Amino acid sequence: MPGKTKAITRSARKRPAYHRILLKLSGESLQGPQGFGIDGQTIYEIAKELREVHRLGVQIAIMVGGGNIFRGARQKGFEIDRATGDYMGMLATVLNALALQDALEKVSVHTRVQSAIEMHQVCEPFIRRRAMRHLEKGRVVIFAAGTGNPYFSTDTAAALRAMEIKADVILKATRVDGIYDADPEKVTGAKFFAEITYRDVLHQNLKVMDSTAISLCMDNGMPIVIFNMHKTGNIRRAGLGERVGSVVTPA
C-alpha cells in the first residue's frame, strides 16, 4: 500500500495546473549567447521544453517579442518616428514567430502563427475564434506583431490575447528568477518578491510588465507567473503549478 500511495502521489504531481496558458517570450530569450538575432540551439531547446508541456495536455499560446532584432523606437543610436519604429518592431516579432514555429514543428508539435498585421503568404491573420479552435485541436498558437498598433508593447499584447483566448494564466519568461525591487543583475541585495499584488507592482513601479499590461490583468483577474527562462525545466514546472519565480495576484 505505501508503494501504491507514492505512485499515486507522483502521478498527481504530473497533472498540469492549467488547462490553457499564454507564454510571453521576449525576443532576447531567443538570441542565446551571441547577444543578437536568433540562436538555433537556444530556440531548439525552448521548443523541446514546450513539447514537454504540450505532452501534459496543456493548451499553449505564445506571444513573442522582437527585441533581439529591432527594439522599435527604443533602438539605440537610431532616431526614428515612434509609430514607424513600433511597426518595424512588430515585423521583427513575425521573424521570431516563424523561427519558433519551425523549431516546434521539427520536434513534432503542430503549430500555427497568427499575426495582428495581415500577411497571408506568411501566416494566418489573428482571428480569436480560429485561435481558440487551434488550441482545442492541440496545436500551439504563436501570436506575432503585438496588437497590430503602435504605442502598445508585446507585454500589453500578451495580456490582451490572454483575455481573448480565456487563458488560465500568463507565464512570462525573463532573464532573472522573478520580481525584484531593483535589477538583480545590477543591484546586489535586491529584494525578491515570491508573491505580490497588481497594485503593489504599479505603486512600486516594478519592471515586471508595463503598466498597461498590469492594469489589464488586474481588471480581469489574470494571474501572472514571472520566472527564469534560462533554467532548464522551468516552463514545465510552471505549467505543473510548482513554485517557480514570482506570482502576481489580486489583493
Side-chain angles (χ1 to χ4, degrees), residues 128-240:
R128 173 179 169 270
R129 292 177 68 89
R130 181 182 290 177
M132 294 178 73
R133 185 60 176 153
H134 284 321
L135 293 169
E136 289 164 359
K137 286 186 173 182
R139 299 166 185 150
V140 171
V141 178
I142 304 173
F143 297 124
T147 65
N149 301 291
Y151 299 96
F152 291 94
S153 70
T154 49
D155 280 348
T156 299
L160 177 63
R161 294 288 183 257
M163 312 305 169
E164 288 180 300
I165 66 170
K166 302 185 185 302
D168 299 318
V169 66
I170 295 175
L171 304 181
K172 181 172 181 183
T174 67
R175 296 183 304 177
V176 296
D177 291 331
I179 302 172
Y180 292 82
D181 62 354
D183 187 345
E185 296 179 331
K186 298 177 181 178
V187 180
T188 303
K191 182 182 177 183
F192 174 76
F193 298 96
E195 192 167 322
I196 191 169
T197 67
Y198 305 109
R199 292 191 183 279
D200 285 340
V201 169
L202 292 172
H203 290 163
Q204 297 182 46
N205 195 29
L206 301 177
K207 305 301 181 183
V208 179
M209 301 173 84
D210 63 67
S211 58
T212 306
I214 293 294
S215 297
L216 188 57
C217 289
M218 179 171 67
D219 291 344
N220 292 275
M222 176 64 67
I224 309 167
V225 178
I226 316 290
F227 64 95
N228 191 332
M229 182 71 203
H230 300 298
K231 289 187 177 178
T232 303
N234 266 0
I235 297 177
R236 185 176 186 276
R237 284 191 283 272
L240 287 170

Side-chain angles (χ1 to χ4, degrees), residues 27 35 45 57 65 84 91 101 107 110 113 117 123 133 158-159 171 175 189 192 202 210 239:
E45 292 301 324
T84 301
L91 296 179
Q101 178 186 39
V107 294
H110 295 297
V113 173
I117 298 175
C123 56
R133 185 60 176 153
L171 304 181
R175 296 183 304 177
F192 174 76
L202 292 172
D210 63 67

